[in-house]
Each structure stands twice: as C-alpha cells, then as structure tokens.
Amino acid sequence: MAKKSETFGSRLASIRESRGLSQAELARRADLHPSFISQLEANKRKGNSHETLRKLTVALKVDLATLLGA
C-alpha cells in the first residue's frame, strides 16, 4: 500500500529502482525521453496521460494501481 505522502515521482523511482533499471533504461523500454523520466521522478512534470501511464506500466511490468499508489 502506498504511503499518503508518497508522490507519483517517488513511487515511479522506487519501482524503477526495485527493477534494477536506470532512468535511461526505463526510458528506452517505455519509448520515452530520458529527461522526461527524470522530470517525472522529480515531480516537475505530470505523467498522467493514458499513453504515458500505459508505456510505464508495460515497461515496469506493474499494474496501473501499483504505479498510481491506489
């Protein structure tokens, strides 16, 4: 279960790190730019478009609820 204070960016970074992936590798697998992953993890950008969330869940092999902390 996600902590209430946990942000999308910190959850994304935590899941990515638990999979042993660098930001660059996640970006490659998700077909996103590495700077976009960095910005998401720093909470400087939102990643809530349906397509972005789909790409991240597939690349990280997690369900949407896990990624969103639901």
Side-chain angles (χ1 to χ4, degrees):
M1 182 184 279
K3 300 173 202 153
K4 292 284 182 193
S5 62
E6 190 176 45
T7 64
F8 176 79
S10 65
R11 196 167 32 260
L12 176 61
S14 178
I15 295 168
R16 175 184 58 75
E17 290 167 359
S18 75
R19 302 291 190 273
L21 299 174
S22 65
Q23 288 181 344
E25 180 60 17
L26 174 57
R28 187 189 67 74
R29 290 182 183 197
D31 193 29
L32 297 168
H33 198 277
S35 68
F36 182 70
I37 299 296
S38 176
Q39 291 171 355
L40 287 174
E41 290 185 2
N43 295 302
K44 292 182 178 178
R45 194 153 183 186
K46 295 189 182 220
N48 57 359
S49 80
H50 178 74
E51 184 62 13
T52 297
L53 292 173
R54 185 194 65 76
K55 287 179 174 187
L56 290 170
T57 58
V58 169
L60 292 167
K61 299 179 181 167
V62 297
D63 59 35
L64 185 58
T66 299
L67 184 60
L68 295 178

